[in-house]
Amino acid sequence: MSDLLARANAAIEESSPALFSALSPLGRQLVYPPGIPFQAGQARGKKYNATIGQLTDGAGHALRLPSLEAAYAALDEEKRNKALLYSPAAGIPEVRQAWRQRQRAHLEPGASASSLPIVTVGLTHGLSILADLFCAQGSAVAVVEPFWGNYRQTFGVRRGAEILASPAYVDDGEGPRFAADGVARSLGALPEGEPALVVVNLPSNPSGYSLTLAQRDQLRKALVEAAALRPIVAICDDAYAGFVYEEEIPRGSMFWELAGQHPNLIPVKVEGATKELGFFGGRVGFLTFPFAADSAIAEALESKIMDLSRATIGSPVSASQMVVLGALESRTLEEEVEALRQRLAGRYRILRDRLATFDPALGRALPFNSGCFALIELARGLDSEAVRQRLLADHDTGLISIAPNYIRIAHCSVRGEALPELVDRLERGASEVAVAVS
Ligand SMILES: Cc1ncc(COP(=O)(O)O)c(C=O)c1O
């Protein structure tokens, strides 16, 4: 049990032994983890704050898509009315249809069938639905490490699943490279026939990496091979979809490539307006399965998910669905999203160029090409939490520490011009910690 959990439990037990004894086994496992929101809270007010994966101007203001802002400010009478009434448990039909149209807009003819997306309260809710549907105590969830820490809460803490972590990067002596098929290989140790979940998060958090064409093929083949031995639900967490900054890197979701490849391999698409439309507070996510919208299986899955939603959130939020619908109806939305991508690409290039000269005695930047983040692997012996604390205390700088030795930079929430100075400060803080421990 972590110290934080022990303290929370002790505080409840001391004040009210009766309430403590009434806590469920899950209730006794819960404590707000010292992850990204916790560390971002500690960095609030710092001059350089690259902690959180929100798209901002570097001064805490959201980067707004004009179509979304217009939809927010001026819902027409019909949308205003719908915004005030309950949403159906699976989401408002027009929103689901409009999102589906956007999803399929650039697909080749003959692309896989897909269900009508089900609306969730942000992507986190979509992930937790999948955890409820597919995880029991001890179920395997394969993911590359380091990974978005909330997977641990969603699958591990809440459902008792076992996280099978494989290294995201390997180094055969030629520098670090992304281990494209690591998640598939890590399933090899499981008994044959045992179902498993695999998380495919591209662009990735925390490393800001998307696979090359060859790597996508490698992953697809490895998952098809692994599916010969067991049912695999491949969760395509597309939170950062589209934010890719190198020409040769594909931008589409792996969902479409994994669909229909093997009867035992079932991809599920998790996505939403949170990052794609910069609507972080709106909490509009979507879940899509690779089955025809009017198929019996799609309807049965929808019924199960509606039952779960009824039991947990009641129904998704109507007001923010109406704002998303307004934005999706705008003819200029895709141009605006492209302009946002270009803006983030500018920051990415500045950071990439600066990190190319990162002091190798202190660490190295792992390959990145997309999304909101870059990940620094600190040199052996340098503890990331010590570096983070030093940056907060002495360098007016907030970054995310991922134990034992990774530092995540969220370039999406820092002005491009500020990024070189931010990296200078990281180097200074890290070298001070290095001197202190040597
Ligand atoms: C990889 C990944 N998946 C899911 C989410 C959750 O998205 P939401 O805020 O819509 O719940 C995040 C948020 O940071 C994320 O980084």
Side-chain angles (χ1 to χ4, degrees), residues 122-124 127 148 151 201 205 237 239-240 274-275 283:
L123 281 80
T124 304
L127 291 165
W148 183 50
Y151 293 146
N201 169 222
N205 178 5
D237 180 339
Y240 301 90
T274 309
K275 326 262 173 182
R283 317 305 303 140

Side-chain angles (χ1 to χ4, degrees), residues 27 84 100 150 171 174 195 231 233 270 291 307 338 371 384:
L84 295 176
R100 174 182 170 80
N150 209 18
D171 190 342
E174 289 169 28
V233 176
V270 181
F291 306 115
D307 193 23
E338 173 57 16
S384 57

Side-chain angles (χ1 to χ4, degrees), residues 57-408:
D57 63 356
H61 306 113
L63 293 183
R64 303 169 190 189
L65 295 180
S67 292
L68 190 84
E69 195 171 18
Y72 205 100
L75 290 183
D76 62 27
E77 169 53 30
E78 191 189 334
K79 289 197 180 68
R80 274 209 304 276
N81 190 42
K82 285 204 166 138
L84 295 176
L85 297 172
Y86 275 133
S87 160
I92 294 173
E94 297 90 318
V95 180
R96 302 176 65 190
Q97 284 293 355
W99 192 268
R100 174 182 170 80
Q101 240 174 29
R102 182 169 194 260
Q103 270 181 337
R104 301 190 64 94
H106 300 293
L107 294 181
E108 303 284 331
S112 164
S114 56
S115 60
L116 192 57
I118 294 170
V119 177
T120 58
V121 182
L123 281 80
T124 304
H125 178 221
L127 291 165
S128 90
I129 287 172
L130 297 179
D132 285 352
L133 283 179
F134 300 113
C135 290
Q137 189 70 33
S139 295
V141 179
V143 59
V144 295
E145 186 174 42
F147 52 81
W148 183 50
N150 209 18
Y151 293 146
R152 206 176 281 293
Q153 315 309 121
T154 313
F155 298 108
V157 174
R158 220 169 72 80
R159 297 296 304 162
E162 178 116 11
I163 307 279
L164 290 184
S166 55
Y169 292 92
V170 290
D171 190 342
D172 312 322
E174 289 169 28
R177 66 175 167 80
F178 202 84
D181 57 356
V183 277
R185 273 189 283 113
S186 67
L187 299 179
L190 296 176
E192 203 171 313
E194 187 175 310
L197 275 81
V198 165
V199 178
V200 179
N201 169 222
L202 302 168
S204 63
N205 178 5
S207 56
Y209 191 79
S210 287
L211 302 180
T212 62
L213 252 182
Q215 287 174 325
R216 287 167 78 106
D217 208 41
Q218 193 187 350
L219 174 58
R220 184 184 55 77
K221 284 186 179 139
L223 286 174
V224 169
E225 218 170 276
L229 297 180
R230 72 192 71 258
I232 296 175
V233 176
I235 299 178
C236 298
D237 180 339
D238 294 340
Y240 301 90
F243 294 121
V244 174
Y245 313 123
E246 299 287 353
E247 274 308 308
E248 72 283 7
I249 303 294
R251 295 188 197 168
S253 169
M254 282 290 292
F255 172 84
W256 307 107
E257 272 155 67
L258 299 179
Q261 292 286 313
H262 192 289
N264 262 356
L265 177 60
I266 302 103
V268 186
K269 194 168 183 1
V270 181
E271 62 190 326
T274 309
K275 326 262 173 182
E276 284 189 61
L277 303 185
F279 196 19
F280 296 86
R283 317 305 303 140
V284 181
F286 297 92
L287 269 184
T288 307
F289 294 90
F291 306 115
D294 54 1
S295 61
I297 184 169
E299 278 175 25
L301 286 165
E302 185 170 313
S303 164
K304 286 186 184 297
I305 290 170
M306 283 164 67
D307 193 23
L308 263 178
S309 285
R310 261 268 347 96
T312 49
I313 53 148
S315 60
V317 185
S318 294
S320 47
Q321 286 184 71
M322 284 298 102
V323 174
V324 167
L325 182 61
L328 291 173
E329 285 171 354
S330 160
R331 265 191 258 128
T332 54
L333 179 71
E334 298 310 330
E335 281 162 39
E336 295 163 20
V337 170
E338 173 57 16
L340 188 59
R341 189 191 70 81
Q342 296 276 3
R343 186 160 175 181
L344 294 175
R347 294 180 184 178
Y348 156 78
R349 282 192 289 270
I350 294 172
L351 185 60
R352 181 197 58 190
D353 294 350
R354 172 61 185 84
L355 287 176
T357 60
F358 194 80
D359 183 348
L362 300 172
R364 61 183 180 178
L366 294 168
F368 69 116
N369 53 23
S370 55
C372 286
F373 311 108
L375 196 62
I376 311 295
E377 184 183 40
L378 294 173
R380 191 159 303 165
L382 264 182
D383 172 55
S384 57
E385 182 58 15
V387 171
R388 182 180 82 89
Q389 294 290 353
R390 172 65 67 131
L391 291 167
L392 280 177
D394 297 339
H395 297 281
D396 212 2
T397 296
L399 293 172
I400 295 293
S401 129
I402 299 170
N405 66 334
Y406 297 102
I407 290 282
R408 189 190 80 168

